[in-house]
């Protein structure tokens, strides 16, 4: 069974940067589509970014221009680079394998990693 494990969360000051990684167990040759989601106590889970193929990406309006999703197919890893972080970015971030049809619908998720942005 494929499992996803996130890493790289932590605490940062507003305006700072963090990079998240997500490693999938299982054969590296399987061509998954990836997504990142987040959830805070005040909000429902929301999609943050998705990648279909090597370069078809989508982003929530709130992170457009600040977050970048990428993937390394050889290592079965997805990344989320976050810059210019805001306090409202504070949440638990989850990586996911998503449907390659829409790049958003989650098929499986990791356990999440906490990102806290202080003012």
């Amino acid at each position: 069974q494929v499992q996803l494990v996130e890493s790289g969360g932590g605490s940062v000051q507003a305006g700072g940067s963090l990079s998240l990684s997500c490693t999938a167990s299982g054969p590296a040759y399987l061509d998954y589509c990836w997504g990142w989601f987040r959830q805070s106590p005040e909000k429902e889970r929301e999609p943050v970014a998705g990648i279909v193929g090597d370069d078809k990406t989508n982003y929530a309006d709130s992170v457009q221009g600040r977050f970048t999703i990428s993937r390394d197919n050889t290592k079965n890893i997805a990344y989320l680079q976050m810059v210019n972080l805001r306090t409202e970015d504070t949440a638990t971030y989850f990586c996911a394998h998503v449907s390659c049809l829409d790049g958003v619908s989650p098929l499986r998720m990791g356990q999440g990693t906490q990102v806290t942005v202080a003012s």
Side-chain angles (χ1 to χ4, degrees), residues 35-99:
W36 287 91
F37 295 76
R38 68 185 181 186
Q39 185 169 15
S40 64
E42 301 81 21
K43 296 181 181 180
E44 293 186 353
R45 188 180 68 196
E46 60 177 352
V48 173
I51 184 167
V52 175
D54 291 330
D55 57 3
K56 294 181 181 178
T57 57
N58 60 81
Y59 297 95
D61 289 343
S62 58
V63 307
Q64 182 75 46
R66 300 187 298 120
F67 289 12
T68 304
I69 186 172
S70 60
R71 61 189 294 171
D72 184 335
N73 291 335
T74 63
K75 299 179 181 179
N76 227 4
I77 298 176
Y79 304 95
L80 185 69
Q81 293 180 296
M82 307 181 291
V83 301
N84 193 19
L85 283 161
R86 305 168 182 170
T87 56
E88 54 263 39
D89 294 320
T90 295
T92 301
Y93 284 71
F94 303 86
C95 75
H97 283 155
V98 298
S99 167

Side-chain angles (χ1 to χ4, degrees), residues 4-7 20-24 34 36 76-79 95-96 110:
L4 305 178
V5 179
E6 303 93 341
S7 61
L20 306 182
S21 300
C22 178
T23 302
W34 297 81
W36 287 91
N76 227 4
I77 298 176
Y79 304 95
C95 75

Side-chain angles (χ1 to χ4, degrees), residues 92-111:
T92 301
Y93 284 71
F94 303 86
C95 75
H97 283 155
V98 298
S99 167
C100 295
L101 296 178
D102 61 13
V104 177
S105 301
L107 304 176
R108 64 177 64 86
M109 279 193 173
Q111 295 298 307

